[in-house]
């Protein structure tokens, strides 16, 4: 079971997490804290060699979910704030800051 927290304090912050998977099943949800959430989460998954595997950045949601099956091994997860470039609702990453939680499972 995964239950951890982090904070993006500046728009240049990137938080990194390392984890090991024995079967390669990864199911994680990264949520900005509910009270006054300003953080729009961008999540990236990397293998043990630092090779990018997946990016999660839902267009109309500030949370991100990762549900993937990979080979057993070590992996890295990065979390950062991101802006949104969509007609009529543009905003930059300058204000995409705040606390977040990571919950789910890694097996």
């Amino acid at each position: 079971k995964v239950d951890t927290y982090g904070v993006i304090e500046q728009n240049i912050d990137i938080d990194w997490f390392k984890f090991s998977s024995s079967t390669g099943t990864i199911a994680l949800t990264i949520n900005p804290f509910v009270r006054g959430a300003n953080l729009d989460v961008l999540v990236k998954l990397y293998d043990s060699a630092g090779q990018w595997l997946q990016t999660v950045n839902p267009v109309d949601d500030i949370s991100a979910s990762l549900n993937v099956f990979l080979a057993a091994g070590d992996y890295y997860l990065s979390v950062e704030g991101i802006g949104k470039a969509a007609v009529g609702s543009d905003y930059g990453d300058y204000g995409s800051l705040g606390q977040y939680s990571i919950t789910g499972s890694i097996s």
Side-chain angles (χ1 to χ4, degrees):
K1 180 178 177 183
V2 176
D3 190 10
T4 192
Y5 304 90
V7 178
I8 301 298
E9 295 177 341
Q10 301 178 25
N11 66 341
I12 58 171
D13 286 355
I14 300 175
D15 290 352
W16 288 91
F17 299 88
K18 180 182 179 183
F19 60 90
S20 296
S21 174
S22 58
T23 64
T25 303
I26 301 161
L28 300 173
T29 300
I30 299 86
N31 285 315
F33 281 160
V34 177
R35 185 172 281 170
N38 288 327
L39 179 64
D40 186 351
V41 176
L42 170 65
V43 174
K44 295 180 183 176
L45 178 66
Y46 300 85
D47 67 14
S48 61
Q51 181 71 32
W52 168 78
L53 300 174
Q54 187 171 1
T55 298
V56 182
N57 182 21
V59 173
D60 292 322
D61 195 351
I62 59 174
S63 299
S65 293
L66 183 68
N67 196 344
V68 64
F69 182 79
L70 301 165
D74 293 333
Y75 294 92
Y76 297 93
L77 186 77
S78 70
V79 178
E80 62 186 290
I82 191 74
K84 179 178 180 181
V87 176
S89 62
D90 298 334
Y91 58 87
D93 70 347
Y94 67 92
S96 187
L97 309 172
Q99 298 176 316
Y100 61 90
S101 66
I102 301 176
T103 56
S105 62
I106 298 169
S107 54

